[in-house]
Amino acid sequence: MGLRPLGDRVLVRRVEEENKTKSGIIIPDGNVEKPLTGKIIAIGPGKRHESGKVFPIPDIKIGDIVLFGKYSGVEVKINDENLLLMNSDDLLGIMEED
């Protein structure tokens, strides 16, 4: 079973951050916050204008690593995996490699 986002929503898989500091100290799982970055795995068709025309979501494509707010999106469980379904407006930026 899959999920196809509607409108201007995107489906995001959280990117797990390493639970070790730069100095090598391991952080216990209970003290680790949920990551604020994720990988886009599905994109809705876009925002519908009053006239009925659909405008695709610009600048975002499947596979992009994005930054989002701490309380953004709704957690959904698909195939025993927790994913985030959020509005494209909740995305703060796209991570780029140097």
Side-chain angles (χ1 to χ4, degrees):
M1 177 177 81
L3 178 69
R4 182 173 45 102
L6 298 175
D8 63 337
R9 291 178 180 83
V10 294
L11 191 60
V12 177
R13 176 182 293 126
R14 288 185 191 268
V15 175
E16 295 299 325
E17 296 174 358
E18 195 170 334
N19 60 350
K20 190 188 308 183
T21 65
K22 289 181 181 180
S23 61
I25 298 172
I26 297 175
I27 302 169
D29 288 338
N31 292 339
V32 177
E33 289 189 15
K34 291 183 178 180
L36 302 177
T37 57
K39 184 176 186 177
I40 301 286
I41 59 172
I43 302 173
K47 192 175 277 193
R48 187 173 299 276
H49 190 264
E50 296 171 354
S51 65
K53 186 176 180 182
V54 175
F55 292 98
I57 303 169
D59 303 326
I60 302 170
K61 61 184 181 298
I62 294 175
D64 281 347
I65 304 297
V66 293
L67 179 68
F68 50 86
K70 190 172 189 173
Y71 300 106
S72 297
V74 175
E75 282 201 19
V76 293
K77 191 168 194 169
I78 300 173
N79 298 332
D80 295 329
E81 182 178 19
N82 289 328
L83 303 172
L84 281 173
L85 183 62
M86 65 179 66
N87 214 329
S88 63
D89 293 340
D90 291 338
L91 300 176
L92 303 175
I94 299 173
M95 305 294 285
E96 296 179 348
E97 293 184 32
D98 292 332

